[in-house]
């Protein structure tokens, strides 16, 4: 079998007519979305609209029912695709930080590098330290997750994902579990990442972030994309009643 070739000119993510059902509940009902290289696409919408399922399909944590997803030009919905290779190019950050509680911060960042990337202990530690510095936690490498604030834990989770050298990052409500005063530090890290040119797909209720950092805002409801566009345009002049209703609740 020939290796499919990465196509750096293709959109980072291309989703075409994606459907996903759980039993007879159709949760995604024909999603089309593109994320260009270096773009930040923010996905907003009510609870249960399918936002997490969409991200999880892009990362192959869920198997789509039908439709196609391409990552850097490679069809990842092809049954022959190497799932591990696809996942290794995509970093994922969840609402619940999912750190290993029994490992220090440094070990949380090195373990997958060593197992998946085959890096030596020193090499993995060097990469980890670089990424901890990037998220403002250079001095916490020996701490255990329970001794960190939620905001610090989430920044560790971001540093952990970055340590795998992903081409793109998916964020699923990364600040929704945080006390309000800790949200800003995490958003600042994400903003810096975007400024470096990282391709990002971000499910969030932080409309300020979407407006300031997003290149595109996608509004989902009930398994459909109801509208999408320039964040400012969608936020200031929503075209659909469902978007208006949602925004009036969150803004
Ligand atoms: P959102 O992230 O927008 O809140 P989700 O993608 O988590 O929405 O969920 C969309 C719908 O799919 C919800 O009704 C949810 O209950 C359902 N769902 C999500 N995951 C599963 C699953 N593994 N099994 C059954 N139903 C699921
Ligand atoms: Mg969700």
């Amino acid at each position: 079998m020939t290796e499919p070739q990465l196509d750096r000119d293709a959109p980072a993510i291309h989703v075409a007519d994606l459907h996903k059902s759980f039993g007879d509940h159709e949760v995604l009902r024909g999603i089309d979305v593109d994320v260009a290289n270096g773009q930040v696409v923010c996905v907003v919408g009510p609870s249960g609209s399918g936002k997490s399922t969409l991200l999880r399909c892009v990362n192959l944590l869920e198997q789509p029912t039908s439709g196609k997803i391409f990552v850097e030009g490679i069809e990842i919905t092809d049954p022959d695709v190497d799932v591990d290779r696809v996942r290794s190019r995509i970093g994922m950050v969840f609402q619940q930080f999912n750190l290993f509680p029994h490992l220090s911060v440094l070990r949380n960042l090195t373990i997958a590098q060593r197992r998946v990337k085959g890096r030596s202990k020193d090499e993995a530690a060097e990469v980890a330290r670089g990424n901890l510095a990037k998220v403002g936690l250079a001095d916490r490498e020996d701490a255990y997750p329970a001794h960190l604030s939620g905001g610090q834990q989430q920044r560790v989770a971001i540093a952990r994902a970055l340590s795998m050298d992903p081409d793109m990052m998916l964020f699923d409500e990364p600040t929704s579990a945080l006390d309000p005063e800790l949200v800003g530090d995490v958003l600042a890290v994400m903003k810096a990442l975007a400024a470096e040119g990282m391709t990002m797909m971000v499910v969030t209720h932080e409309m300020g972030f979407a407006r300031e950092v997003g290149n595109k805002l996608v509004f989902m409801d009930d398994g459909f994309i109801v509208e999408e566009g320039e964040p400012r345009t969608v936020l200031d002049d929503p075209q659909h009643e469902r978007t208006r209703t949602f925004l009036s609740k969150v803004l």
Side-chain angles (χ1 to χ4, degrees):
M1 194 175 80
T2 54
E3 278 290 318
Q5 289 299 304
L6 280 190
D7 178 358
R8 301 276 173 189
D9 295 328
I13 302 169
H14 172 64
V15 176
D17 198 24
L18 176 65
H19 292 251
K20 174 65 182 175
S21 297
F22 295 105
D24 54 16
H25 181 192
E26 193 174 31
V27 169
L28 298 178
R29 305 200 278 162
I31 298 288
D32 297 285
V33 69
D34 274 331
V35 183
N37 277 301
Q39 255 197 350
V40 177
V41 172
C42 293
V43 181
V44 306
S47 179
S49 55
K51 307 179 298 295
S52 295
T53 304
L54 171 59
L55 283 200
R56 292 169 62 81
C57 283
V58 170
N59 204 11
L60 294 178
L61 292 171
E62 299 287 357
Q63 188 65 48
T65 306
S66 68
K68 290 185 177 184
I69 302 174
F70 296 81
V71 170
E72 293 172 323
I74 294 175
E75 190 198 335
I76 66 165
T77 34
D78 180 334
D80 289 333
V81 81
D82 180 345
V83 172
D84 292 330
R85 278 197 50 186
V86 171
R87 290 211 189 106
S88 76
R89 297 208 303 278
I90 305 176
M92 179 108 188
V93 172
F94 301 90
Q95 180 174 335
Q96 301 301 337
F97 331 116
N98 298 336
L99 299 176
F100 298 114
H102 59 295
L103 297 181
S104 69
V105 163
L106 188 70
R107 285 259 285 146
N108 262 281
L109 267 66
T110 56
I111 190 164
Q113 291 187 65
R114 300 196 62 196
R115 286 186 186 166
V116 179
K117 295 249 168 202
R119 288 181 182 151
S120 72
K121 192 173 174 182
D122 288 349
E123 199 182 353
E126 192 185 325
V127 171
R129 290 189 176 112
N131 284 310
L132 285 174
K134 202 171 191 171
V135 302
L137 292 171
D139 55 343
R140 302 314 302 273
E141 68 173 62
D142 295 324
Y144 283 81
H147 295 136
L148 300 176
S149 72
Q152 291 172 329
Q153 290 185 54
Q154 190 59 297
R155 285 185 282 148
V156 171
I158 293 170
R160 179 175 62 178
L162 293 175
S163 295
M164 301 300 282
D165 304 327
D167 292 344
M168 62 197 75
M169 293 278 286
L170 310 180
F171 292 87
D172 193 356
E173 298 199 34
T175 60
S176 294
L178 301 178
D179 292 333
E181 74 273 20
L182 303 177
V183 168
D185 289 343
V186 172
L187 293 179
V189 164
M190 294 167 63
K191 188 178 166 186
L193 205 53
E196 279 179 16
M198 177 63 81
T199 304
M200 296 166 41
M201 203 165 170
V202 184
V203 175
T204 186
H205 296 296
E206 295 291 335
M207 299 303 156
F209 177 87
R211 181 188 290 271
E212 198 188 340
V213 180
N215 301 104
K216 182 157 78 176
L217 187 125
V218 171
F219 173 67
M220 279 181 70
D221 194 10
D222 204 17
F224 291 107
I225 292 178
V226 175
E227 73 180 279
E228 65 174 85
E230 182 83 25
R232 245 162 266 285
T233 310
V234 177
L235 292 171
D236 295 341
D237 187 22
Q239 298 301 301
H240 291 265
E241 187 54 43
R242 284 195 282 176
T243 320
R244 282 194 282 273
T245 305
F246 174 76
L247 291 176
S248 71
K249 286 178 188 156
V250 296
L251 284 176

